Amino acid sequence: ERMALLFPPEEICMEWQQRQRPGAGLCNFGSTCYINVILQCLTYTAPLANYLLSHGHSQLCHRQGFCMMCIMEAHIKEVLCSSASVIWPRAVIRDLKFIGEGFEPDVTGDAYEFLCCALEAMQRACLSGSRNVNISSQTTTIIHQIFGGFLKSRVTCLRCQAVSDSYKAFLRVVLDIKASSSLTAALENFVTSRKLNGKHRFKCSKCEKATASERVTVHRVPKVFTVCLERAADYTGKKISKMVEYPEYLDLQPYMSDIAGEPLLYSLYALVVHSGDTCLDGHFFCYTKASNGLWYKMDDESVDNCDIHTVLRQQAYLLFYAR
């Protein structure tokens, strides 16, 4: 099948097109801090904000009813361009059930789950109106071109050394931090090969059943690398509260399928923090870097400036890095 290009990559601009002080804080509708932090992190994602502020989406959108891209365009415009110091993200709350089942304004939710649903709702909005788009064309929307990359899984039969490769698109990566004290150690662990056994048993075409190992690497990097540091210890809501170090600048080259190459440098521009003893309660707030290059702590209605040292000493849950 031929691949249709849904958005021209050369039109994605990674640098802010207008520099200004940070925008408004967001009112909490009762238990919506998990929504507010994601809206703020997406608002300060330069390539997304640049595109939405140029009305690139709404001018061409023919969707009747709910459209996450139109909602985000109106939201980002209101946060960054109005003179208000606090706004109510009413449209997002009104259409919560379309963004993801199970979200309710008066019930606490998880910021990572909301991020996943928001990105997927924006991806669906970019695909609406395009009939029967094949899988490879789906990775050419502006959302996938900003947030998406590809992982490569290489399975090696340990008996005959036969190799089989498969590729999977991703919009974010979840890292296990139980045995890691830093983001780089967790990434190292992510790309370390593991034996496949139990329900993941491998069937080698030559040896029938045989033991195999799998190694997952980053095959194609995204423009914005979004990472979740998995803090749920198990299904009971027990939380892993330890500090995990993360750098201001991250090189993804060591975690690539082909490690020979120039450094792939990313810079931190937003992070979400969860405070509370268990994953089932507590509060979310975030830190974002505004277009003026300065960092701010955003906690619902309040927006306060802070320095990079404070930013790098948090119990981070979600990290956003831009290429």
Side-chain angles (χ1 to χ4, degrees):
E1 282 187 87
R2 275 190 60 242
M3 184 172 96
L5 187 64
L6 298 176
F7 189 84
E10 62 278 4
E11 285 183 28
I12 297 173
C13 177
M14 296 299 289
E15 295 295 320
W16 283 101
Q17 286 170 331
Q18 34 199 357
R19 295 190 177 275
Q20 58 187 72
R21 58 175 203 76
L26 303 179
C27 282
N28 189 325
F29 281 78
S31 296
T32 55
C33 60
Y34 74 99
I35 295 170
N36 288 349
V37 288
I38 297 305
L39 292 177
Q40 293 289 36
C41 292
L42 292 174
T43 297
Y44 295 94
T45 298
L48 180 67
N50 286 333
Y51 171 68
L52 292 174
L53 290 172
S54 74
H55 306 293
H57 176 81
S58 58
Q59 284 169 352
L60 301 168
C61 182
H62 304 300
R63 254 187 131 167
Q64 298 298 309
F66 170 71
C67 171
M68 190 65 182
M69 288 297 272
C70 288
I71 284 177
M72 284 307 296
E73 182 177 302
H75 176 80
I76 288 177
K77 189 167 176 241
E78 192 178 3
V79 169
L80 296 180
C81 306
S82 78
S83 56
S85 62
V86 178
I87 67 158
W88 289 91
R90 284 196 178 83
V92 178
I93 302 303
R94 181 195 66 211
D95 288 333
L96 212 45
K97 61 181 179 298
F98 299 119
I99 299 171
E101 287 171 36
F103 292 129
E104 287 173 38
D106 46 1
V107 178
T108 50
D110 178 65
Y112 174 66
E113 275 175 39
F114 186 73
L115 170 68
C116 297
C117 291
L119 289 177
E120 267 134 38
M122 286 195 283
Q123 171 74 348
R124 285 197 301 276
C126 293
L127 290 170
S128 89
S130 316
R131 300 230 180 290
N132 311 325
V133 184
N134 66 21
I135 299 284
S136 48
S137 300
Q138 289 174 23
T139 63
T140 68
T141 64
I142 183 160
I143 292 303
H144 204 282
Q145 288 190 58
I146 292 173
F147 296 96
F150 281 87
L151 294 175
K152 173 181 174 179
S153 155
R154 167 160 286 188
V155 175
T156 308
C157 172
L158 296 178
R159 190 183 291 163
C160 71
Q161 300 302 305
V163 166
S164 93
D165 290 340
S166 59
Y167 301 88
K168 187 176 153 209
F170 71 90
L171 287 173
R172 68 248 147 203
V173 166
V174 180
L175 296 179
D176 183 349
I177 56 168
K178 288 189 191 80
S180 308
S181 58
S182 69
L183 173 64
T184 48
L187 280 165
E188 199 55 57
N189 184 33
F190 183 74
V191 299
T192 299
S193 63
R194 327 183 137 58
K195 253 189 179 166
L196 294 176
N197 47 28
K199 66 175 194 290
H200 302 297
R201 273 302 281 276
F202 167 70
K203 210 167 169 195
C204 175
S205 52
K206 293 180 187 162
C207 314
E208 279 305 310
K209 269 196 177 146
T211 333
S213 69
E214 179 189 33
R215 182 165 188 250
V216 174
T217 47
V218 180
H219 192 67
R220 205 167 82 207
V221 289
K223 289 183 166 57
V224 166
F225 184 57
T226 309
V227 186
C228 172
L229 302 178
E230 180 55 87
R231 290 198 173 270
D234 50 32
Y235 294 108
T236 64
K238 262 220 219 73
K239 182 179 162 186
I240 301 170
S241 294
K242 69 175 179 182
M243 287 300 292
V244 175
E245 276 179 54
Y246 46 93
E248 185 181 3
Y249 299 101
L250 174 69
D251 179 10
L252 279 186
Q253 189 58 50
Y255 318 106
M256 297 293 290
S257 310
D258 178 7
I259 53 171
E262 294 293 303
L264 292 167
L265 283 181
Y266 283 73
S267 130
L268 184 70
Y269 73 89
L271 66 139
V272 170
V273 181
H274 176 264
S275 65
D277 298 328
T278 76
C279 295
L280 305 173
D281 52 29
H283 179 63
F284 289 101
F285 56 93
C286 64
Y287 291 84
T288 62
K289 194 181 194 176
S291 60
N292 60 7
L294 301 176
W295 281 95
Y296 295 85
K297 178 183 179 182
M298 302 196 168
D299 188 346
D300 290 332
E301 291 89 352
S302 68
V303 174
D304 301 304
N305 52 333
C306 65
D307 62 7
I308 185 66
H309 302 294
T310 307
V311 170
L312 294 176
R313 285 202 306 266
Q314 299 301 315
Q315 205 189 93
Y317 177 43
L318 304 175
L319 297 163
F320 295 77
Y321 283 91
R323 181 78 191 271

